[in-house]
């Protein structure tokens, strides 16, 4: 399930302009990670957020039969998203959602997050 990190107050200019939100507006709320270098910077930002930060995580998984299998431990993780609150900056401004691609040329980028996901000192909710 996807979510938007956008604060409703940030959407006020769109409402005032009397126009619907566009994909371009949505991209302004997301930091995209599609290389190992960007992944290492993102992991550093996750750790820099501090031990009290609670990170909201979500995954999308393919190659499973949802009627028979849970995505936990099954299938292929195509992407993850992480929201760490309004003060965490992944390099493109604070308060954005981190979106990590793991398909095509980006396959394997998710491996850079393995140690962070396994670190019990980092608080994560799903």
């Amino acid at each position: 399930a996807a979510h938007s990190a956008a604060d409703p107050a940030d959407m006020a200019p769109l409402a005032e302009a009397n126009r619907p939100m566009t994909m371009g507006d949505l991209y302004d709320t997301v930091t995209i990670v599609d290389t190992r270098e960007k992944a290492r910077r993102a992991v550093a930002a996750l750790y820099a957020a501090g031990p009290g930060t609670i990170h909201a995580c979500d995954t999308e998984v393919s190659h499973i039969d949802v009627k028979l299998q849970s995505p936990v431990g099954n299938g292929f993780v195509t992407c993850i998203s992480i929201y760490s609150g309004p003060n965490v900056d992944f390099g493109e401004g604070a308060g954005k959602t981190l979106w990590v691609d793991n398909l095509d040329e980006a396959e394997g980028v998710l491996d850079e997050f393995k140690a962070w996901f396994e670190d019990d000192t980092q608080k994560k909710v799903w």
Side-chain angles (χ1 to χ4, degrees), residues 40-87:
R40 287 188 287 274
R41 285 195 307 260
V43 169
L46 289 166
Y47 278 109
T53 303
I54 299 172
H55 307 275
C57 306
D58 190 24
T59 60
E60 297 301 328
V61 179
S62 67
H63 299 94
I64 62 169
D65 183 339
V66 294
K67 294 179 181 178
L68 301 174
Q69 297 173 298
S70 160
V72 177
N74 296 301
F76 177 78
V77 178
T78 61
C79 65
I80 63 170
S81 59
I82 304 171
Y83 180 69
S84 301
N87 300 318

Side-chain angles (χ1 to χ4, degrees), residues 3-11 14 21 25-26 28-30 83 95-97:
H3 66 84
S4 173
D7 183 320
D10 294 337
M11 297 298 130
L14 299 178
M21 186 173 184
D25 297 324
L26 181 61
D28 288 342
T29 69
V30 177
Y83 180 69
K96 293 189 175 196
T97 299

Side-chain angles (χ1 to χ4, degrees), residues 29-41:
T29 69
V30 177
T31 296
I32 297 173
V33 173
D34 54 4
T35 67
R36 288 182 180 269
E37 181 181 336
K38 290 178 185 177
R40 287 188 287 274
R41 285 195 307 260

Side-chain angles (χ1 to χ4, degrees), residues 84-120:
S84 301
N87 300 318
V88 177
D89 186 346
F90 294 111
E92 297 180 0
K96 293 189 175 196
T97 299
L98 189 66
W99 185 80
V100 182
D101 188 4
N102 197 43
L103 289 174
D104 302 323
E105 296 83 30
E107 186 171 343
V109 168
L110 190 57
D111 295 339
E112 298 293 329
F113 290 83
K114 184 178 188 320
W116 182 81
F117 275 113
E118 293 175 346
D119 186 341
D120 290 337

